[in-house]
């Protein structure tokens, strides 16, 4: 429920910033035509909110069909959607050029801020997520996220545009990070454990959004679901978020693994290879073109909504 509050509030804020920027003329043209505006204040938030939506709906459907509690999935949904909603509202204040009461966005921001706090703060969510997935990593002898990645790689064979291959790279990297943390006992640092919780949430949401993009393309989504974006737009959004998630897992992961441990140059180079850092960097190719397309969809310059 709180995840849905975060998602709804984030979109409510963007839905005010978007029409404003289509009308507001600065430096000879509308703000909506300026990449420096749309690619910072609008498009990344669209991607994070849609990743959160994918995870919320996947979790809700699983709860409905299995009756399971899915506590960890609930924590991931709540964490990602409340953080995405909060940052989208913050960006929307920036996008509207200030705290102007009539735009409502400052009220939305005040209302959405609490979603990262009540019903379990974001920090407690990070702890819950990492603690529970850590057990899964141990139980499967380090294979849990490699298996998830292989499933996405399989999907990529038949749906090459949905970013499933990029999400898979993030999940493989995550499995390597968790294994390194196990071998070197790095989760004795609470900060490392909590940061891993964040990376787990990003990597799982990337997988979920790729699944959703594929299901939309196959016409297999629940008819009650939001239909804001058509299949082409959603696959593009999925690639944008998968790139962010894979890079975040690899880069932040390296940061904390190296920051919490002693690691020599040879080991470091070896670990960079295990994380497939250069492959993850290569997946960033096409990012700006994809962001251009999503901006065009959001502002109705091409079909897609
Ligand atoms: C508007 C509003 C409505 C609310 N409604 C309800 C309600 O209906 N029912 C209800 O029961 N409660 C409600 N709450 C309470 C809410 O759930 C708590 O404020 C929230 O869980 C934070 O707990 P705390 O205030 O004890 O903060 P503290 O426990 O003092 O935490 C302060 C900060 O430290 C962090 N922190 C705490 N423990 C750790 C740890 N082990 N490791 C790392 N960081 C940690 C937290 O993440 C938090 O950011 C509401 C709060 C607000 C503001």
């Amino acid at each position: 429920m709180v995840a849905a509050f975060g998602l709804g509030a984030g979109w409510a804020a963007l839905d005010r910033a978007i029409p404003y920027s289509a009308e507001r003329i600065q430096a000879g043209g509308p703000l909506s035509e300026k990449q420096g505006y749309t690619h910072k204040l609008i498009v990344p938030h669209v991607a994070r909110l849609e990743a959160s939506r994918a995870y919320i709906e996947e979790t809700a459907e699983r709860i409905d069909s299995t009756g399971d509690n899915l506590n960890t999935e609930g924590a991931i949904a709540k964490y990602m959607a409340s953080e995405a909603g909060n940052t989208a509202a913050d960006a929307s204040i920036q996008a509207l050029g200030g705290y102007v009461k009539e735009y409502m966005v400052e009220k939305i921001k005040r209302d959405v801020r609490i979603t990262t706090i009540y019903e379990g703060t974001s920090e407690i969510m990070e702890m819950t997520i990492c603690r529970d997935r850590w057990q899964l990593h141990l139980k499967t002898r380090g294979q849990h996220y490699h298996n998830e990645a292989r499933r996405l790689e399989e999907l990529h064979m038949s749906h090459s545009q949905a970013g499933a291959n990029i999400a898979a790279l993030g999940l493989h990297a995550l499995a390597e990070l968790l294994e390194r943390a196990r071998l070197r006992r790095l989760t004795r640092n609470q900060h490392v454990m909590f940061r891993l919780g964040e990376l787990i949430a990003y990597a799982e949401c990337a997988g979920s959004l790729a699944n959703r993009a594929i299901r939309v393309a196959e016409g297999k989504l629940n008819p009650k679901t939001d239909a804001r974006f058509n299949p082409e737009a959603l696959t593009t959004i999925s690639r944008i978020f998968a790139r962010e998630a894979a890079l975040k897992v690899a880069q932040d992961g390296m940061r904390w693994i190296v920051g919490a441990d002693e690691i020599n140059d040879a080991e470091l180079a070896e670990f960079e290879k295990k994380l497939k850092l250069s492959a993850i960097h290569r997946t960033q190719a096409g990012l700006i073109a994809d962001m251009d397309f999503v901006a065009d969809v959001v502002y109705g310059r091409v079909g897609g909504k």
Side-chain angles (χ1 to χ4, degrees):
M1 184 187 74
V2 179
F5 288 169
L7 172 64
W11 264 115
L14 288 185
D15 279 336
R16 284 164 172 78
I18 290 165
Y20 170 84
S21 52
E23 298 282 315
R24 176 75 172 167
I25 308 292
Q26 282 293 14
L31 290 171
S32 57
E33 286 176 13
K34 298 179 192 305
Q35 258 193 357
Y37 181 96
T38 55
H39 291 23
K40 179 184 177 191
L41 300 174
I42 308 291
V43 176
H45 303 284
V46 168
R48 289 181 207 131
L49 287 168
E50 288 310 297
S52 307
R53 184 196 305 283
Y55 203 90
I56 292 169
E57 291 195 2
E58 187 180 292
T59 303
E61 280 190 356
R62 284 178 61 197
I63 291 171
D64 282 349
S65 62
T66 65
D68 291 346
N69 278 333
L70 301 182
N71 287 336
T72 312
E73 286 76 5
I76 291 173
K78 194 268 185 189
Y79 175 64
M80 289 297 286
S82 61
E83 289 288 340
N86 186 45
T87 49
D90 199 64
S92 298
I93 291 173
Q94 190 78 14
L96 285 155
Y99 285 104
V100 184
K101 265 206 170 144
E102 298 84 85
Y103 296 143
M104 283 278 291
V105 172
E106 59 90 29
K107 179 184 185 301
I108 294 170
K109 167 69 185 174
R110 280 185 281 118
D111 288 344
V112 72
R113 186 66 183 83
I114 194 60
T115 64
T116 68
I117 295 173
Y118 65 12
E119 297 286 335
T121 63
S122 286
E123 294 70 37
I124 299 303
M125 295 295 105
E126 289 166 355
M127 177 167 66
T128 304
I129 295 163
C130 187
R131 196 187 49 206
D132 294 6
R133 292 304 197 235
W134 184 254
Q135 292 306 319
L136 219 47
H137 177 78
L138 299 182
K139 248 193 248 168
T140 59
R141 297 179 179 276
Q143 289 306 302
H144 175 69
Y145 284 119
H146 283 310
N147 290 339
E148 276 300 296
R150 286 181 202 114
R151 192 182 58 73
L152 286 165
E153 282 162 349
E154 189 110 336
L155 282 175
H156 178 68
M157 306 288 265
S158 49
H159 299 85
S160 62
Q161 297 303 306
N165 58 326
I166 309 174
L169 275 172
L171 287 160
H172 279 307
L174 180 62
E176 295 296 339
L177 287 174
L178 292 173
E179 187 56 12
R180 175 91 194 171
R182 182 187 73 80
L183 291 170
R184 305 291 300 168
R185 301 180 56 238
L186 301 183
T187 53
R188 64 180 185 273
N189 295 288
Q190 195 193 49
H191 188 54
V192 172
M193 188 179 153
F194 282 30
R195 299 300 14 103
L196 286 171
E198 181 187 21
L199 301 184
I200 289 167
Y202 266 79
E204 289 201 20
C205 283
S208 195
L209 183 53
N211 281 333
R212 181 180 169 88
I214 290 168
R215 285 180 68 192
V216 168
E218 291 178 337
K220 286 189 183 157
L221 272 193
N222 188 314
K224 282 193 286 186
T225 194
D226 177 272
R228 187 186 278 260
F229 295 109
N230 76 12
E232 190 188 5
L234 206 65
T235 51
T236 311
I237 292 170
S238 176
R239 290 196 298 271
I240 292 171
F241 185 77
R243 288 184 183 102
E244 180 180 12
L247 194 65
K248 186 173 177 64
V249 168
Q251 284 189 336
D252 289 11
M254 280 300 291
R255 184 177 192 206
W256 302 119
I257 294 290
V258 176
D261 202 7
E262 284 179 12
I263 182 165
N264 65 37
D265 287 353
E267 265 185 298
L268 188 64
E270 189 62 28
F271 192 59
E272 284 173 355
K273 266 194 211 152
K274 273 193 174 166
L275 290 189
K276 300 205 170 106
L277 266 189
S278 54
I280 289 172
H281 288 153
R282 276 199 302 277
T283 66
Q284 307 302 315
L287 174 59
I288 292 283
D290 279 351
M291 294 176 88
D292 288 345
F293 179 70
V294 171
D296 285 345
V297 169
V298 162
Y299 287 100
R301 297 188 286 251
V302 292
K305 272 194 174 179

